Amino acid sequence: MCGIVGYVGKRSACDILINGLRRLEYRGYDSAGVALLTHERLLVVKQTGKVALLEKRLAETVPAAVREQARIGIAHTRWATHGLPTEANAHPHVADGGQLALVHNGIIENYATLRRQLETRGCVFVSQTDTEVLAHLVSTFDTGDLLAAVSQALKRVEGTYGIAVVSTRHPGQIVVARKGSPLVVGIGDNETLIASDVSAIVAHTRQVIYLQDGDVALVTAEGPQIYTLDNMPVDRAVANVEWEIGAAEKGGYEHFMLKEIFEQPAALQNTIRGRLDLTLSTAILSGLSLSPRELAAIQRLVIVACGTSLHAGMVGKYLFEGLADLPTDPEQAAEFRYCNPIIGPDDLVIAISQSGETADTLAAVRESIQKGALVAGLCNVVGSTIAREAGRGVYLHAGPEIGVASTKAFTAQVTVLLMMALKLGRCRRLSRETGRTLCEEIVNIPAMIQKVLAQNEAIAAIAAKYAHVNNAFFIGRGILYPTALEGALKLKEISYIHAEGYQAAELKHGPIALLDENMPVIALLNDIPGKEKTLGNVQECRARRAPVIGIVTEGDTEAEQGVNDVIRLPRTSVYTAPVVTAVALQLFAYHVARLRGCEIDQPRNLAKSVTVE
Ligand code: F6R
């Protein structure tokens, strides 16, 4: 949450910062701001709302020549934690009589105490934020060395931060630091960029350094010098960003979400590529760094994740228990962390996170490592904190996901979990024949998704019939239950329709009381075991006049006859059914939200990467 970008070099900083902010807007869009250093003057412009409004404000209030001159600056897009999304609360925050500016992602937990102390020393606060405390704190320690001032200030801080600071007293310098919130430094040709996410800087350089927790760096046009808070120099490897800038652009689609739904066949090809051994009928997941003997010794799996990633983990339970005979407990990561989990060396904890930065999932990883369990990260963002701290895992390789509503990450997560279940199963009782059939099904996933995408217009037409509703239920059974939850989450987060997912059998234990002609039920009726019983539940819904949209397998006339509207999916096995079904539900949610005129890529109150607890 919150996006940070900074530039120092020979080019005009302003445009680079604004373009960077645009790419980071998915991290928060309550307000945005920029601080430019020009001729030893600090110019700060802030604006509530989106980056486009900030750009307009800059054009109206700062002459083009002045904007052009700045060769150094920092910028921020905010997801509000402390204080309303007002201009005063927008970053950058200034101190030292307007000489120093600071942007921050994270939460300063002891800010109230620090604020009181600073106020008694005469600092005047103009915002309700925790961040403004940091700006004043750094300024009080600045006796001629900005790096030292930032280090001194951060030693007094409890909480999480990714920060960037500039000051007129230190022209040509940006000081950055991280603890718990990501920061990456991009190395260019006589220019250096910093950002909370590589997507903001990949247009300018592919050579990046991922800062680690506890790092503080002095960044100049020549590059970064990285230290600990105790001023010990540290060496961080330079990594090469593999993906093209086009991967983070809309490429002709109206929304990132639609683009990401449609690129699932290609994304999943990448997820699967090189990971299946058709001779031994197993999966090759070398990032797990566990031998077949070590894999066979695992007694239990615990999956920690949040939101959509948790739903993928819930699908994982059916995969691991069905294919590898391994008891599997999916846990909401924050709950796991606070319930004193019983785990040990025979357990493998799988942390699923698209961003690899989700605070609760990261905390669960740390707790699991502390308790001596094996931990594997299942992340999309290469080099992310969870991927690094877990030490072993499997990357999704789904490419950058920009739309706030997760789509291709979910299908890639389920596909990776399926490959993990295949591998763990083959280390145990799963036969070579069953392994072979599974390999074929996995190879076939992209083609299956393509068939769902071909239904786009039909799905849009059904969405048009239901776009006006205020409530909706999604029901599924067995392995499709988590997909029902995911369908409901997609719909509620982008269309603001109140939607709930239920196990089909649970409906009559209470929720059925809400059914009437205004409560559509989206029933997952894929032709896999359990369908007949769900069809029975559908009858119960229709008897209460609830209209039912059936997600059915093509050619299944029995299922079609039981419902009011039909979305047809290709025939799949039980293990790949969640993937194809999720794609249909993503399209349904997308079209409903579009017809309701919602801000699909940036739904209200949400941010892509939840780095606060
Ligand atoms: C929903 C969504 C969120 C995330 C959740 C976890 O569309 O995107 O529910 O899935 O915040 O995020 P990651 O996977 O980055 O840990």
Side-chain angles (χ1 to χ4, degrees):
M1 3 200 62
C2 299
I4 292 174
V5 58
Y7 175 84
V8 50
K10 53 192 182 307
R11 292 189 281 160
S12 165
C14 191
D15 288 349
I16 294 172
L17 294 176
I18 293 294
N19 285 331
L21 280 188
R22 266 202 217 100
R23 293 186 186 282
L24 291 180
E25 205 165 22
Y26 69 92
R27 298 183 70 94
Y29 27 85
D30 292 332
S31 61
V34 59
L36 300 167
L37 273 184
T38 56
H39 295 127
E40 285 149 45
R41 252 192 75 219
L42 184 68
L43 187 78
V44 176
V45 178
K46 308 198 267 190
Q47 174 67 46
T48 54
K50 302 243 168 127
V51 174
L53 295 175
L54 173 68
E55 198 179 2
K56 189 161 169 269
R57 180 83 171 266
L58 269 164
E60 285 164 3
T61 56
V62 184
V66 178
R67 278 183 271 137
E68 271 293 301
Q69 281 160 16
R71 297 286 177 267
I72 174 167
I74 54 177
H76 186 269
T77 177
R78 178 169 185 247
W79 186 84
T81 57
H82 294 63
L84 292 170
T86 60
E87 200 171 306
N89 289 336
H91 301 214
H93 288 282
V94 296
D96 191 14
Q99 305 294 308
L100 178 145
L102 179 147
V103 291
H104 167 225
N105 175 17
I107 288 186
I108 305 305
E109 285 163 8
N110 59 338
Y111 84 101
T113 316
L114 291 170
R115 182 169 171 147
R116 273 195 301 277
Q117 289 166 359
L118 288 160
E119 277 171 338
T120 54
R121 291 165 70 175
C123 293
V124 178
F125 283 79
V126 296
S127 80
Q128 303 157 302
T129 65
D130 51 338
T131 303
E132 196 181 1
V133 161
L134 277 181
H136 286 292
L137 204 57
V138 172
S139 137
T140 56
F141 284 110
D142 186 4
T143 53
D145 182 340
L146 188 58
L147 181 81
V150 170
S151 301
Q152 290 304 311
L154 292 178
K155 283 185 179 173
R156 274 138 188 98
V157 156
E158 288 159 25
T160 57
Y161 51 77
I163 60 165
V165 192
V166 291
S167 162
T168 56
R169 301 182 198 280
H170 308 277
Q173 297 184 2
I174 306 177
V175 173
V176 297
R178 80 156 272 180
K179 184 182 157 208
S181 299
L183 262 189
V184 58
V185 180
I187 322 262
D189 179 16
N190 271 321
E191 60 183 11
T192 312
L193 299 107
I194 60 111
S196 37
D197 183 325
V198 281
S199 61
I201 56 178
V202 74
H204 307 287
T205 178
R206 288 163 165 275
Q207 301 292 298
V208 299
I209 295 174
Y210 297 100
L211 294 186
Q212 297 189 15
D213 276 356
D215 288 354
V216 53
L218 174 62
V219 176
T220 64
E222 284 74 49
Q225 295 162 39
I226 310 172
Y227 301 88
T228 64
L229 289 187
D230 291 321
N231 204 29
M232 300 298 292
V234 285
D235 231 6
R236 299 280 176 236
V238 178
N240 192 38
V241 180
E242 298 292 343
W243 47 268
E244 300 289 332
I245 183 68
E249 289 173 346
K250 281 189 205 159
Y253 285 92
E254 195 177 340
H255 297 98
F256 277 112
M257 182 179 178
L258 190 62
K259 176 195 173 219
E260 287 158 8
I261 292 173
F262 269 84
E263 69 191 9
Q264 286 176 105
L268 291 203
Q269 291 276 16
N270 288 335
T271 304
I272 297 164
R273 183 169 298 121
R275 285 177 162 165
L276 291 175
D277 179 337
L278 299 176
T279 313
L280 289 176
S281 303
T282 186
I284 307 163
L285 301 171
S286 44
L288 286 180
S289 308
L290 291 168
S291 67
R293 184 185 287 262
E294 288 168 316
L295 287 170
I298 292 168
Q299 296 297 311
R300 187 174 67 122
L301 298 176
V302 177
I303 299 178
V304 290
C306 303
T308 290
S309 297
L310 177 61
H311 296 155
M314 292 169 75
V315 176
K317 176 180 172 68
Y318 293 88
L319 301 176
F320 290 120
E321 294 186 347
L323 293 165
D325 283 345
L326 266 171
T328 304
D329 299 320
E331 302 261 9
Q332 205 282 341
E335 296 297 323
F336 174 84
R337 174 190 184 187
Y338 290 113
C339 73
N340 192 19
I342 300 161
I343 44 169
D346 296 334
D347 300 324
L348 174 66
V349 176
I350 303 172
I352 308 179
S353 174
Q354 187 286 129
S355 63
E357 303 292 347
T358 299
D360 287 323
T361 311
L362 176 59
V365 165
R366 290 178 175 158
E367 177 69 13
S368 305
I369 292 172
Q370 185 60 35
K371 289 209 153 135
L374 291 166
V375 179
L378 213 155
C379 302
N380 194 33
V381 177
V382 175
S384 55
T385 311
I386 291 172
R388 279 190 284 106
E389 294 203 11
R392 62 164 58 81
V394 186
Y395 277 120
L396 303 182
H397 293 319
E401 191 179 67
I402 310 289
V404 165
S406 192
T407 51
K408 61 178 178 173
F410 176 80
T411 49
Q413 286 161 347
V414 173
T415 303
V416 167
L417 289 167
L418 182 53
M419 290 192 283
M420 285 180 80
L422 166 65
K423 182 153 188 76
L424 282 158
R426 287 287 289 130
C427 297
R428 293 152 192 271
R429 56 136 192 142
L430 205 68
S431 71
R432 186 183 281 238
E433 287 66 40
T434 314
R436 180 159 198 89
T437 310
L438 268 175
C439 285
E440 283 161 9
E441 282 170 14
I442 294 168
V443 168
N444 215 9
I445 287 175
M448 291 291 170
I449 294 180
Q450 202 65 60
K451 288 189 178 165
V452 184
L453 296 175
Q455 308 288 317
N456 183 35
E457 282 183 15
I459 295 173
I462 293 174
K465 280 178 73 177
Y466 293 94
H468 64 280
V469 301
N470 294 323
N471 302 285
F473 278 177
F474 288 69
I475 58 169
R477 190 175 277 272
I479 199 166
L480 290 175
Y481 164 57
T483 311
L485 293 177
E486 177 58 10
L489 177 62
K490 283 294 88 85
L491 187 65
K492 78 179 102 177
E493 69 183 332
I494 61 167
S495 75
Y496 315 138
I497 291 175
H498 170 238
E500 297 300 337
Y502 288 105
Q503 288 129 335
E506 182 62 17
L507 216 55
K508 58 177 137 343
H509 296 284
I512 201 167
L514 293 172
L515 292 188
D516 62 16
E517 60 278 11
N518 298 315
M519 175 71 88
V521 177
I522 294 91
L524 309 189
L525 290 166
N526 312 47
D527 194 11
I528 58 174
K531 178 197 80 173
E532 301 295 340
K533 293 208 184 304
T534 310
L535 268 175
N537 303 126
V538 162
Q539 290 313 317
E540 291 155 12
C541 297
R542 295 195 65 192
R544 274 89 194 163
R545 292 194 298 278
V548 176
I549 305 170
I551 312 290
V552 309
T553 301
E554 59 192 352
D556 184 351
T557 44
E558 184 199 13
E560 288 199 13
Q561 276 159 14
V563 299
N564 301 76
D565 288 288
V566 180
I567 295 174
R568 296 182 186 89
L569 302 180
R571 182 167 292 281
T572 66
S573 79
V574 64
Y575 296 114
T576 49
V579 173
V580 293
T581 310
V583 176
L585 299 183
Q586 292 163 359
L587 283 172
F588 178 75
Y590 172 82
H591 288 296
V592 169
R594 188 173 172 280
L595 289 163
R596 289 166 74 98
C598 298
E599 290 242 33
I600 290 178
D601 283 334
Q602 292 163 354
R604 70 181 177 213
N605 304 339
L606 294 178
K608 184 76 184 154
S609 169
V610 184
T611 52
V612 294
E613 283 181 42

